[in-house]
Amino acid sequence: MSSAHIDTFARDNLPPIDQQPQFLFDLPELQFPEQLNCATELLDRHILEGNGSRICIRAPGLSWTYADLQDKANRIANVLVYDMGVVPGNRVLLHAPNNAMMVACWFAVIKVGAIAVATMPLLRAKELKPVIDKAQIRHALCDFHLATEVQSAAQQCPTLQTVRYFNDDSANGLDAAMARHSPVFANANTASDDTCIIAFTSGTTGIPKATMHFHRDVMAVCACWPPHVLRATSEDVFMGSPPLAFTFGLGGLVLFPLSVGASTVLLEKAGPPQLLEAIQTFGATVLFTAPTSYRAMAPQGQALRNGTLRHCVSAGEALPVSTRTLWREATGIELIDGIGATELLHIFISADEEHAHPGATGKVVPGYQAQVVDDDGKPVPVGTVGKLAVRGPTGCRYLADERQTKYVRNGWNLTGDAYKMDADGYFIYQARTDDMIVSSGYNIAAPEVEEALMLHPAVAECAVIGSPDEERGQIVQAFVALRAGHASDDAMVKTLQDFVKSTIAPYKYPRAITFVNQLPRTQTGKLQRFMLRDLA
Ligand code: 3UK
């Protein structure tokens, strides 16, 4: 294998081999050649196979074929190399909402053998700085509409030298530079184990961690979950809400549709109302979004019944049974739940519609192995709660980070989730390991209490934490957003407490209930429990 990287930063900062997970390549579809550029496989291949005129990307007012995307990506690749001086192995910051130029820039970076570092569009200069510093970024491609934050970050980041803006009409914008360059580009002959993306974790606490993924990792996630669980075809129309900077979005909205020659619809704003409308106007068939978004759309879900939509994927957070039921009753569609992680790039435990067990995430995805282990890393018996351990073709490689030894133990990736497995091999989510509540010696999983509360018709959204208590160590405290028309008074507190007691073991009921208008969430839709702990 020969690396194409002239700038060896990524390879130099890989975790030592004995701290890396064990990688598995048992499946025949996971045999990768020594030299591999994932842009060739995901994009150029379709043009070579005569499918250049098929629709690749749609967005409001935009429709690009595979040939159009290749044309743009090649021009940008030429700008990167000849105007900006990017060499293979350099990191390139990408900062944009989910739009077509963002995807063209992503492919351009991969084509030149550089490393794409995509960031959430809502990040401010203060949050971009640690990313630029950590990945030692010299070059950036950015949507003109987000220029202010990138400019202000650039002033504080000595490494960042060249920034080009797209969706900008001016003479020095990326679009003008593209017009001066050729639409032909010979992709860098990268090694399958050259890093091509650095994804920052959307962690709800602490300093962000940078995970490194190779060209072969990108192809591996396309070969595992999509063909075995999603089973999309070239006729499918993908759509969803997760940002492309979040690997849930990168996979669901770029890698997976392109790996089967399908089309993807990109929405810069993809809240529940925008999604509902766009599904119908674009005829989406495959949807990727978070549990809360399904819950918010369910009341209008009837409009999607007997429409184009056929596969709905939920990930990012545990899927409450009540949300699964609401969505099925409204739309007639059973959700595909799947747990993924930035460290593993995409989903590794999931179930298709036919095999869904409400309350369970699913079974391990072909290509991966999963087990529930105790604190010493030994597998626990069926039905026992422990830590989720996973290994497969992808896994955790933090960039220069001592937390590597916490995530990877004995070759297994420890995701930080408490799970149990049943006799049929279904994995049942309990909580993040740090979110188990211990009250008077009882272990209580916050999501179980949330689930019970959400079954009450007055509850729109809720979150449960353990708050410190002198007598009991911790007590179960719930934060509840009520649906319109319900009073947030003492009578409602009592009603909800009694309701939980009648639904699950009474000792788990929330001793404290606080009413809120809305719950604090990250840009990837995850609940920020630490914010609630501060509130409590
Ligand atoms: C939690 C889930 C229960 C779990 C992600 C799909 O979420 C993704 O990556 P992150 O790094 O977070 C990972 C953590 O999120 N989680 C995700 N999905 C589920 N918990 N059920 C689920 N279905 O705590 C996990 O450890 O932000 C999801 C694809 C790619 C991703 N990066």
Side-chain angles (χ1 to χ4, degrees), residues 441-452:
Y442 286 108
N443 277 318
I444 302 167
E448 193 188 357
V449 185
E450 290 163 2
E451 181 114 2

Side-chain angles (χ1 to χ4, degrees), residues 386-518:
K387 298 177 168 175
L388 181 65
V390 191
R391 61 187 185 188
T394 58
C396 179
R397 302 179 201 101
Y398 288 137
L399 190 162
D401 201 313
E402 62 232 16
R403 289 169 288 186
Q404 176 73 19
T405 54
K406 220 183 147 222
Y407 203 95
V408 176
R409 291 269 171 88
N410 304 320
W412 290 83
N413 299 276
L414 297 176
T415 63
D417 297 293
Y419 259 88
K420 64 184 180 194
M421 194 185 78
D422 72 12
D424 301 321
Y426 277 84
F427 285 83
I428 302 153
Y429 178 80
Q430 307 295 307
R432 292 287 303 167
T433 42
D434 330 330
D435 290 338
M436 290 295 291
I437 302 165
V438 187
S439 185
S440 304
Y442 286 108
N443 277 318
I444 302 167
E448 193 188 357
V449 185
E450 290 163 2
E451 181 114 2
L453 276 167
M454 276 193 266
L455 290 169
H456 194 280
V459 175
E461 269 202 294
C462 71
V464 164
I465 60 162
S467 72
D469 181 79
E470 261 183 39
E471 200 184 325
R472 296 187 163 80
Q474 280 186 313
I475 57 161
V476 176
Q477 170 157 25
F479 293 83
V480 175
L482 293 174
R483 291 195 190 281
H486 294 276
S488 43
D489 52 16
D490 290 349
M492 180 58 82
V493 169
K494 175 90 171 63
T495 303
L496 294 176
Q497 288 176 328
D498 290 344
F499 182 77
V500 173
K501 287 186 196 169
S502 68
T503 314
I504 53 177
Y507 69 86
K508 298 177 182 169
Y509 88 96
R511 287 176 190 270
I513 294 185
T514 307
F515 294 106
V516 293
N517 291 327
Q518 152 183 352

Side-chain angles (χ1 to χ4, degrees), residues 150-320:
V150 173
Q151 267 157 7
S152 115
Q155 278 163 8
Q156 304 160 45
C157 297
T159 58
L160 190 58
Q161 289 158 5
T162 51
V163 186
R164 289 283 190 289
Y165 296 99
F166 53 88
N167 293 333
D168 165 16
D169 302 332
S170 76
N172 42 19
L174 178 65
D175 306 70
M178 285 164 70
R180 295 191 290 265
H181 281 280
S182 154
V184 178
F185 186 84
N187 296 351
N189 188 21
T190 43
S192 64
D193 67 355
D194 276 336
T195 292
C196 67
I197 63 175
I198 293 179
F200 280 79
T201 59
S202 69
T204 48
T205 46
I207 316 154
K209 294 169 257 191
T211 67
M212 298 195 270
H213 298 289
F214 300 163
H215 286 268
R216 73 157 197 248
D217 300 330
V218 169
M219 297 320 296
V221 294
C222 294
C224 291
W225 179 80
H228 290 106
V229 180
L230 182 65
R231 293 193 300 271
T233 73
S234 61
E235 299 307 307
D236 275 305
V237 179
F238 287 61
M239 181 182 286
S241 64
L244 301 183
F246 180 24
T247 64
F248 179 37
L250 178 71
L253 302 175
V254 179
L255 309 179
F256 303 162
L258 270 69
S259 72
V260 295
S263 68
T264 183
V265 180
L266 299 176
L267 304 169
E268 295 198 355
K269 286 207 174 70
Q274 291 92 349
L275 272 182
L276 275 166
E277 194 194 310
I279 292 165
Q280 297 170 77
T281 43
F282 290 93
T285 63
V286 178
L287 181 64
F288 286 80
T289 189
T292 44
S293 164
Y294 286 110
R295 199 174 170 82
M297 288 191 290
Q300 283 82 49
Q302 199 72 32
L304 305 174
R305 208 170 247 280
N306 304 319
T308 53
L309 204 54
R310 57 185 201 105
H311 294 304
C312 296
V313 182
S314 169
E317 272 198 318
L319 173 64

Side-chain angles (χ1 to χ4, degrees), residues 49-195:
E49 291 176 353
N51 290 316
S53 60
R54 288 184 60 88
I55 298 297
C56 181
I57 300 181
R58 291 183 69 197
L62 176 146
S63 176
W64 285 1
T65 63
Y66 274 85
D68 291 334
L69 178 60
Q70 185 192 45
D71 178 291
K72 315 264 179 200
N74 285 350
R75 289 175 190 274
I76 300 166
N78 283 314
V79 174
L80 287 170
V81 173
Y82 299 107
D83 294 356
M84 296 171 71
V86 170
V87 301
N90 282 171
R91 281 72 55 213
V92 180
L93 182 80
L94 299 175
H95 191 60
N98 286 7
N99 59 34
M101 276 298 282
M102 169 72 162
V103 176
C105 289
W106 189 86
F107 276 106
V109 171
I110 305 292
K111 278 171 164 273
V112 307
I115 299 169
V117 187
T119 44
M120 309 280 177
L122 290 177
L123 293 195
R124 301 277 183 187
K126 187 176 171 302
E127 297 151 305
L128 289 170
K129 180 173 162 42
V131 170
I132 297 166
D133 290 344
K134 175 100 200 182
Q136 292 186 27
I137 297 178
R138 283 205 284 269
H139 310 278
L141 298 174
C142 168
D143 193 305
F144 183 63
H145 302 96
L146 303 178
T148 330
E149 295 302 324
V150 173
Q151 267 157 7
S152 115
Q155 278 163 8
Q156 304 160 45
C157 297
T159 58
L160 190 58
Q161 289 158 5
T162 51
V163 186
R164 289 283 190 289
Y165 296 99
F166 53 88
N167 293 333
D168 165 16
D169 302 332
S170 76
N172 42 19
L174 178 65
D175 306 70
M178 285 164 70
R180 295 191 290 265
H181 281 280
S182 154
V184 178
F185 186 84
N187 296 351
N189 188 21
T190 43
S192 64
D193 67 355
D194 276 336
T195 292

